[in-house]
């Protein structure tokens, strides 16, 4: 076989800006960084080397909402942090846009890669599209069909502007086609969040979080709640906390509290009372490894998070999602997820405790290789356009 002379190969460099802003973004960026590093390490890829800059918008800034994820996931320190902080949707989006425009003008990337559906995702997409920089959206095509969710607006705008739509599941492809997105722009690459779960599962198991929290496997419930629809409304939040307090009379309930939720509990005057339930175990927002460790050993999960709907499906743990809809229907059709409401949650909890929940099948392409497929789609697109 003739030897390839890599030294003589014409080198093409591709420069990416990877955008991360809020907690769930970090789990989606980690597999991309890994896949890029692996790509560059392979000698046969010398012809298409990839350079990347990691830009943190600063949408999430508390150590436990941001820095601990960089540490747990082995992410490099961001090259640039826009430090935008919190604010109204308009204020936060505008600040990100102003800061990110300067970064793009100085760095002139070939691609801006955005993930998920947070304000940072949409803000950076608008900036790049207006500067004529190609945008790749990881986790494209998810739709709750509920425009009262800020994330749904972010998804619609991002997908309308992106050049390459990298989807996790067939329902996402169908949504995009119905919206008139040309098929050639849509590439199903699988679930990048599951790459991170697979990469870190052994380490999460070694985190021994159950022991540290004094919990017994399958004898506790793991809870997270942060959606404005659940926690910004006094009646809903009071009612949910009452249900959790009742549940904690029967089993331990572990609840890492998002800063938004804690603030609302304090403002509504229910924080002090909630803390008195002895088996309702509140904690600060948890790092990734402890979270996965506690989810894997829980009896079931109550949440309104997008990521946890997917992680419980992969791990086969029953999940009650306190929302009227989900942009991740595959977690219901294939997985362990079930939507619940304040009216039905008590009976849904009884059903789960009585062992009623569907058998689960892990969706296709939730296999730990989504990051690799994303990088290869970017290279193909670059070569063909
Ligand atoms: C954001 C995302 C949501 C995602 C969630 C994950 C949008 C519109 N929403 O919601 O999709 O599921 O992140 O956590 O992008 N705060 C802190 N410290 C922080 C960050 C926030 O105290 O590090 C507090 C501030 O009071 C802030 C509030 O939390 O006003 C809400 O933060 P924000 O980023 O606006 O929205 P999230 O509810 O975190």
């Amino acid at each position: 076989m003739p030897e390839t002379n890599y030294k003589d190969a014409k080198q093409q460099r591709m420069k990416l800006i990877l955008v991360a802003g809020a907690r769930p973004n970090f789990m989606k960026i980690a597999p991309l960084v890994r896949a890029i590093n692996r790509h560059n390490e392979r000698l046969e890829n010398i012809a298409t080397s990839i350079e990347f800059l990691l830009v943190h918008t600063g949408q999430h800034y508390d150590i436990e909402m941001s820095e601990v994820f960089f540490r747990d996931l082995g992410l490099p320190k961001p090259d640039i942090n826009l430090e935008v902080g919190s604010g109204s949707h308009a204020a936060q989006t505008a600040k990100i846009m102003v800061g990110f425009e300067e970064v793009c003008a100085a760095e002139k990337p070939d691609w801006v890669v955005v993930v998920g559906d947070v304000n940072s995702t949409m803000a950076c997409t608008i900036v790049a599209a207006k500067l004529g920089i190609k945008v790749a959206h990881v986790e494209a095509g998810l739709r709750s069909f509920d425009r009262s969710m800020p994330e749904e607006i972010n998804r619609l705008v991002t997908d309308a502007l992106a050049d390459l739509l990298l989807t996790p599941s067939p329902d996402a492809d169908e949504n995009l086609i119905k919206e008139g997105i040309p098929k050639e722009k849509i590439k199903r690459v699988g679930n990048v969040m599951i790459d991170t779960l697979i990469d870190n599962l052994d380490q999460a198991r070694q985190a021994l979080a159950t022991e540290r929290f004094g919990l017994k496997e399958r004898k506790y419930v793991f809870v997270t709640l942060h959606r404005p629809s659940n926690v910004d409304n006094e009646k809903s939040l009071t009612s949910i906390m009452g249900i959790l307090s009742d549940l904690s009379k029967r089993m331990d309930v572990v609840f890492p509290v998002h800063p938004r939720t804690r603030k609302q509990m304090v403002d509504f005057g229910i924080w002090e009372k909630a803390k008195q339930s002895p088996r309702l175990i509140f904690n600060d927002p948890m790092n990734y490894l402890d979270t996965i460790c506690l989810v894997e050993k829980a009896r079931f999960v109550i949440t309104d998070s997008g990521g946890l709907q997917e992680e419980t499906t992969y791990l086969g743990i029953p999940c009650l999602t306190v929302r009227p809809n989900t942009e991740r229907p595959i977690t219901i059709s294939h997985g362990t997820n079930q939507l619940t409401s304040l009216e039905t949650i008590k009976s849904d909890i009884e059903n789960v405790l009585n062992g009623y929940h569907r058998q689960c099948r892990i969706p296709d392409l939730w296999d730990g290789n989504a990051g690799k497929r994303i990088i290869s789609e970017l290279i193909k697109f670059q070569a063909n356009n």
Side-chain angles (χ1 to χ4, degrees):
M1 220 168 102
E3 261 187 41
T4 313
N5 187 349
Y6 293 115
K7 270 195 190 149
D8 292 343
K10 191 167 165 270
Q11 208 185 32
Q12 269 196 344
R13 290 181 77 80
M14 184 162 76
K15 181 169 176 178
L16 315 181
I17 289 185
L18 306 178
V19 177
R23 184 170 60 176
N25 291 166
F26 310 135
M27 285 78 103
K28 294 167 195 166
I29 287 292
L32 304 185
V33 170
R34 214 178 153 109
I36 293 170
N37 288 338
R38 285 196 176 153
H39 170 90
N40 287 340
E41 277 159 22
R42 292 175 75 100
L43 200 57
E44 66 267 30
N45 291 333
I46 199 161
T48 52
S49 83
I50 303 175
E51 184 190 340
F52 74 90
L53 277 184
L54 181 54
V55 175
H56 192 324
T57 63
Q59 175 173 347
H60 283 175
Y61 44 86
D62 284 348
I63 290 172
E64 63 270 20
M65 296 294 284
S66 175
E67 202 177 307
V68 295
F69 290 86
F70 278 74
R71 188 196 64 206
D72 277 6
L73 304 175
L75 274 165
K77 201 170 167 292
D79 297 287
I80 297 166
N81 191 327
L82 302 177
E83 295 181 355
V84 299
S86 300
S88 69
H89 285 277
Q92 190 175 61
T93 304
K95 264 184 158 179
I96 298 169
M97 287 179 69
V98 171
F100 193 63
E101 189 177 50
E102 281 176 22
V103 173
C104 287
E107 298 294 340
K108 301 192 175 29
D110 299 301
W111 286 92
V112 167
V113 181
V114 295
V115 298
D117 55 15
V118 302
N119 286 346
S120 305
T121 312
M122 179 187 73
C124 294
T125 298
I126 297 174
V127 169
K130 289 206 167 188
L131 291 174
I133 300 166
K134 289 192 288 292
V135 175
H137 182 205
V138 174
E139 207 183 67
L142 298 185
R143 296 288 180 270
S144 65
F145 303 101
D146 175 359
R147 291 195 185 187
S148 69
M149 286 181 80
E151 294 82 0
E152 185 75 351
I153 309 287
N154 295 341
R155 293 180 200 118
L156 284 162
V157 173
T158 302
D159 286 342
L161 297 177
D163 299 277
L164 183 57
L165 296 109
L166 300 154
T167 65
S169 48
D171 55 284
D173 299 14
E174 284 160 28
N175 292 335
L176 294 172
I177 286 164
K178 279 189 205 142
E179 285 170 21
I181 307 276
K183 263 190 178 157
E184 319 76 74
K185 286 179 154 191
I186 306 168
K187 302 290 171 194
R188 197 185 317 151
V189 291
N191 191 320
V192 82
M193 192 93 167
I194 301 301
D195 284 18
T196 295
L197 179 56
I198 293 172
D199 279 345
N200 290 283
L201 194 50
D202 280 345
Q203 229 189 313
R205 286 173 179 151
Q206 287 160 23
L208 303 177
T210 34
E211 282 84 339
R212 269 187 285 121
F213 281 88
L215 300 164
K216 293 210 171 65
E217 191 166 338
R218 306 284 169 249
K219 301 278 187 220
Y220 65 92
V221 184
F222 186 82
V223 179
T224 77
L225 295 164
H226 73 279
R227 296 271 163 213
S229 54
N230 284 324
V231 308
D232 286 4
N233 177 300
E234 183 168 355
K235 223 171 129 200
S236 309
L237 189 55
T238 306
S239 165
I240 295 173
M241 290 317 299
I243 290 162
L244 294 180
S245 173
D246 287 347
L247 182 59
S248 75
K249 292 177 188 140
R250 300 162 70 187
M251 62 201 304
D252 289 327
V253 176
V254 185
F255 188 172
V257 188
H258 187 285
R260 173 193 282 278
T261 311
R262 180 180 299 242
K263 181 176 176 300
Q264 298 298 49
M265 282 206 252
V266 171
D267 287 357
F268 299 149
I270 54 178
W271 177 235
E272 289 306 320
K273 181 160 179 265
K275 281 200 300 185
Q276 284 159 19
S277 302
R279 295 173 76 190
L280 187 44
I281 305 164
F282 290 111
N283 205 75
D284 286 338
M286 243 174 228
N287 67 49
Y288 182 73
L289 298 176
D290 282 355
T291 303
I292 295 302
C293 184
L294 290 181
V295 168
E296 197 194 16
K297 294 190 174 157
R299 179 74 184 81
F300 68 100
V301 167
I302 297 175
T303 192
D304 55 13
S305 141
L308 271 174
Q309 294 174 53
E310 296 176 340
E311 287 152 350
T312 47
T313 277
Y314 186 86
L315 296 169
I317 304 298
C319 179
L320 296 178
T321 298
V322 194
R323 283 181 46 190
N325 49 52
T326 177
E327 61 290 333
R328 293 165 163 86
I330 201 163
T331 60
I332 298 177
S333 60
H334 288 53
T336 54
N337 190 22
Q338 184 190 335
L339 299 181
T340 188
S341 66
L342 294 181
E343 290 71 42
T344 62
I345 190 166
K346 282 188 185 164
S347 61
D348 291 335
I349 289 172
E350 288 312 317
N351 283 337
V352 174
L353 288 175
N354 290 328
Y356 173 75
H357 75 92
R358 281 183 314 278
Q359 289 304 309
C360 140
R361 182 164 82 72
I362 295 173
D364 291 343
L365 302 182
W366 290 28
D367 59 358
N369 293 314
K372 197 172 151 196
R373 284 188 285 268
I374 288 167
I375 298 309
S376 115
E377 289 299 343
L378 279 164
I379 293 169
K380 268 195 253 166
F381 192 104
Q382 187 78 357
N384 297 333
N385 291 276

